[in-house]
Amino acid sequence: MKPTGEACASRVRAPKARVLKACASTARTPTARTPTARASKVRAFLLKLSVGAVAAGALTAGTLSASATTAPAGAEAVPDQPRQSYAAQLDRAGLTPGQGAALQGRVDGYLSRLAGGRQVSANRIEMPGGEITVGAPGQRSARDLALPPVSGALPAACRSGHLCLYRGSDSLDYYRCGTYNLTWTGDGTFNNNQTRGTRARFLNFDKVERWSSAAPETGTATWTPVYYVVPC
């Protein structure tokens, strides 16, 4: 940490005491003279430098802080674009503003619990290893609102090579191997539509296997004791 102006000034040593010449017959005690005008100017100069350095540092820090917190021109419009797109999806689905807000609240709940989750439509989230589709009001099974509307309430099929989990109107779709957190509770169903013989494992809090499923297989499940899903 740089010294302050006073500390800098204190480091300037006063002129050494000059010793008056002693008379040949009488010895006189050396007398310290007061600092000269030159020494005072040196101290004032060093103090000025110190104050200037502090001010420059504050100015630099303020500039850096402003550049770090101020978004470039036009940056604020970027997050508005997906929101406008989501609003159009909600309107096309016939949802009221209140229903849209409730749906977004559920999406936000997932995002708060998912590491690396990213909302990509009004009711779909991409996450490491797969995606979540949140059931919209009026949907008995989740369907991405970004897709063209279809007649009937048929659920989206679990694609080949995927492991799909369901709870209520929400669906989880895994398509990459790995170990993933599951925050669901309650009962639901699953569809292990992976390559024949591929074993999906469901683990408890201690990552001990509770049960598994060999593809292809569908069935019911209780999600409360399952904390981790290992699709393959």
Side-chain angles (χ1 to χ4, degrees), residues 38-66:
R38 179 180 178 83
S40 298
K41 288 179 67 176
V42 170
R43 282 200 297 270
F45 177 72
L46 288 177
L47 180 59
K48 183 177 181 180
L49 285 180
S50 177
V51 172
V54 172
L59 178 60
T60 301
T63 302
L64 291 177
S65 176

Side-chain angles (χ1 to χ4, degrees), residues 131-225:
E131 61 187 34
I132 298 175
T133 305
V134 183
Q139 290 183 334
R140 283 186 287 177
S141 56
R143 181 175 178 81
D144 187 358
L145 293 180
L147 299 176
V150 296
S151 59
L154 295 176
C158 186
R159 288 165 285 182
S160 176
H162 292 222
L163 170 68
C164 300
L165 312 182
Y166 306 96
R167 186 195 65 169
S169 61
D170 298 353
S171 68
L172 272 166
D173 186 337
Y174 295 102
Y175 47 80
R176 287 195 180 95
C177 296
T179 301
Y180 306 103
N181 291 333
L182 182 68
T183 60
W184 281 355
T185 57
D187 298 332
T189 59
F190 71 92
N191 183 354
N192 186 359
N193 200 27
Q194 301 181 94
T195 306
R196 181 172 294 275
T198 301
R199 185 168 294 278
R201 302 169 57 229
F202 302 87
L203 317 180
N204 66 10
F205 179 80
D206 298 316
K207 294 189 175 181
V208 176
E209 182 179 307
R210 287 190 59 87
W211 57 281
S212 65
S213 165
E217 184 180 20
T218 61
T220 59
T222 297
W223 302 125
T224 303

